[in-house]
Amino acid sequence: MKLGLSVVLVALAALGEAQGPQKCTSLRVRRNAASLSAQDWQSISTMLQRMDQDGWLSRFGASHDRLFSRVHGNTCFFPFHRRYVLEFENIARNYDPNFVVPYWDATQSFREPASDPMLTSGILGTNGQQGDNCVTNGIQANMQFTYPNAHCLRRIYNQGTTIGAWYAPEIISSYLQADTTLAKFREDIEYSIHGAVHLGMGGEMNSGYAAQDFSFMIHHANLDRLWWDWQNTHGSFLTYDGPGPGNSPASLSDIIPEDGSVPMGGSSVESVMVLGYGNVCYTYDTSRSPPETYPAGANNAAPSPNAQSAQQQARPEGTSLAAAAADPILSGSSNPQSRALESSRLQNSLGADIMNRFFPGLGSSLFSRKRRSYKEEKPAAPEAPVAAADCDSPQPIPFPPRLNPDWIHMHGFDPERVEMFHKNACDLVELLNNSTYISPY
């Protein structure tokens, strides 16, 4: 009898472990930062001032700096920053129980980033002032830090008084649809929009201790949103491949690196893989809701059309079914209306070969469309044709910026590999600009 009871208990324990983390009983909803009110930003400013007085912002900056080489340039980039931003949110809620980290969709102003509403005197603040490059307005106006030495919050736009163009939403849409491994998606994101925003803002954001700038938190919340969208798009909730910290093979059992400045409880990678489970009790306002049950295991296969359709209508409370229906394919943009226009225009402007290479998700049988042939619609070559790798010539969609050598060196990236990924993005932009496609952004 005792033996039988022991077997049952072991079986139940094994079943509980197989089921993974428990489903959250409630979810915080991370909203687009552009939707926050002036009162919301004032509350965030008060919270940040109090956190800074208690030393938390400097501690987050120090922690990120000390862990830098372990959480960049490998697949741990995503789970680390998911856990890191969540820890910031949890600590911040001790100061403001209503606080939830918003996300900054930097693609919305990718053509002229300095004109983004976030970079104004009432929100994140503008460029640093001449001399010391201190930010003197916004929610962190005149804020001082102690790490790595006593200094103000600095910002130095990468083109002096303005910021060069960032990555177009269509490029990120291609990554979401075409990348079938997390390792590939991580490289695409880390070499593109991640670095472009950090380098464009410069100053604090162009350092290992960038987390002292609140821009860091809402920028990485957006990258986390994109990762969650990628996980849903491919049904890859527990896909964790490629190299982990130290170039060892990535494993779901890996412990997320942490530093004594910001202890994170020895969380495993698997513990943060699925939103809505365990302690990861949040979702995003324009993303799909967490799955009803915890995924059984890693799955690289895309969901079936019926399952995909059901997922697309499983939205956070407050998001209309009309908005869900108008947004059949995830894109780099958080704007449902622009997403729908982007998808339909791509379908009607590009040939099958281009679609299959860059936007395979739009080849689903869920959609009926009449495409124009890319070869038929491409205009005659000009007398001095522009090479795909030449990213300096003006086009309807700006070519994406390169990561600079210092940034590449700081992250330990392979320069040739970074250039290869950059050229792929430039190829896409040239193809779009030479087709009949008209960007809605």
Side-chain angles (χ1 to χ4, degrees):
M1 186 68 177
K2 289 183 179 180
L3 179 60
L5 180 59
S6 299
V7 171
V8 171
L9 291 175
V10 169
L12 289 174
L15 178 61
E17 184 176 350
Q19 290 176 336
Q22 294 297 306
K23 190 173 185 179
C24 298
T25 57
S26 63
L27 295 176
R28 307 169 193 163
V29 178
R30 291 183 175 177
R31 295 186 290 157
N32 190 324
S35 71
L36 270 59
S37 67
Q39 183 177 354
D40 291 331
W41 286 112
Q42 182 56 54
S43 296
I44 291 174
S45 178
T46 300
M47 177 198 74
L48 291 173
Q49 295 290 340
R50 294 178 62 196
M51 289 182 70
D52 185 47
Q53 290 169 6
D54 287 348
W56 275 114
L57 300 188
S58 291
R59 290 173 67 175
F60 271 92
S63 176
H64 188 266
D65 191 38
R66 292 165 182 158
L67 295 171
F68 197 89
S69 63
R70 300 176 62 191
V71 298
H72 295 87
N74 63 72
T75 311
C76 193
F77 173 81
F78 279 121
F80 168 80
H81 286 93
R82 175 172 285 177
R83 181 67 184 86
Y84 195 70
V85 174
L86 177 59
E87 188 64 19
F88 178 88
E89 181 173 290
N90 290 339
I91 292 172
R93 286 171 67 86
N94 292 326
Y95 296 85
D96 180 356
N98 296 317
F99 174 73
V100 180
V101 174
Y103 64 89
W104 179 17
D105 182 358
T107 67
Q108 296 304 288
S109 299
F110 77 99
R111 295 176 183 271
E112 297 180 359
S115 68
D116 193 297
M118 294 298 100
L119 297 177
T120 56
S121 60
I123 304 183
L124 296 179
T126 55
N127 202 7
Q129 298 301 299
Q130 292 183 354
D132 52 16
N133 299 306
C134 293
V135 177
T136 59
N137 52 28
I139 59 175
Q140 288 183 276
N142 303 305
M143 191 167 282
Q144 300 290 318
F145 306 118
T146 59
Y147 184 88
N149 48 47
H151 71 281
C152 62
L153 172 64
R154 294 184 290 245
R155 191 167 296 155
I156 309 171
Y157 288 173
N158 68 343
Q159 292 192 359
T161 59
T162 189
I163 301 173
W166 287 339
Y167 273 67
E170 291 89 347
I171 301 175
I172 311 303
S173 301
S174 176
Y175 298 159
L176 284 166
Q177 295 182 37
D179 292 348
T180 57
T181 68
L182 184 58
K184 176 66 162 55
F185 184 65
R186 191 276 305 170
E187 285 192 284
D188 269 326
I189 292 297
E190 198 170 5
Y191 300 160
S192 65
I193 187 173
H194 169 252
V197 172
H198 275 277
L199 287 170
M201 297 183 70
E204 214 77 12
M205 285 287 277
N206 186 14
S207 73
Y209 43 91
Q212 296 176 153
D213 189 334
F214 186 66
S215 305
F216 172 98
M217 297 299 170
I218 62 177
H219 174 43
H220 276 275
N222 186 54
L223 303 186
D224 182 64
R225 176 185 67 87
L226 293 175
W227 178 28
W228 179 239
D229 285 349
W230 180 87
Q231 290 179 290
N232 277 280
T233 298
H234 298 275
S236 301
F237 297 105
L238 293 178
T239 295
Y240 186 61
D241 48 37
N247 288 321
S248 58
S251 170
L252 289 171
S253 63
D254 289 345
I255 301 301
I256 297 174
E258 61 180 286
D259 173 80
S261 299
V262 183
M264 296 192 293
S267 303
S268 69
V269 167
E270 183 173 1
S271 71
V272 301
M273 290 296 288
V274 186
L275 301 193
Y277 287 83
N279 295 318
V280 192
C281 298
Y282 67 87
T283 188
Y284 290 95
D285 59 358
T286 59
S287 296
R288 296 169 183 164
S289 296
E292 284 300 317
T293 58
Y294 191 75
N299 175 17
N300 283 315
S304 66
N306 290 337
Q308 191 178 46
S309 179
Q311 285 178 329
Q312 285 157 0
Q313 295 191 30
R315 297 284 172 141
E317 184 178 353
T319 302
S320 68
L321 290 178
D327 183 23
I329 285 291
L330 295 174
S331 92
S333 171
S334 60
N335 185 302
Q337 291 74 31
S338 297
R339 285 178 172 180
L341 282 174
E342 176 193 338
S343 295
S344 63
R345 290 178 184 180
L346 287 169
Q347 292 164 350
N348 289 319
S349 301
L350 304 178
D353 54 343
I354 306 301
M355 293 295 289
N356 289 337
R357 176 184 173 188
F358 291 105
F359 303 101
L362 291 174
S364 168
S365 59
L366 287 171
F367 305 96
S368 60
R369 60 194 175 278
K370 180 179 179 182
R371 296 178 186 154
R372 301 186 185 95
S373 168
Y374 172 73
K375 292 183 179 179
E376 291 176 359
E377 296 294 335
K378 186 174 182 178
E383 293 183 3
V386 178
D390 181 359
C391 291
D392 297 320
S393 300
Q395 292 286 347
I397 297 178
F399 282 105
R402 281 185 170 89
L403 300 181
N404 66 41
D406 289 341
W407 183 263
I408 293 173
H409 176 74
M410 182 170 77
H411 286 73
F413 295 154
D414 177 350
E416 293 184 0
R417 192 162 182 81
V418 172
E419 181 60 24
M420 178 183 71
F421 277 72
H422 179 257
K423 183 183 182 303
N424 187 63
C426 287
D427 287 346
L428 172 58
V429 170
E430 188 183 21
L431 288 168
L432 292 176
N433 286 338
N434 287 336
S435 75
T436 59
Y437 177 73
I438 299 176
S439 176
Y441 306 105

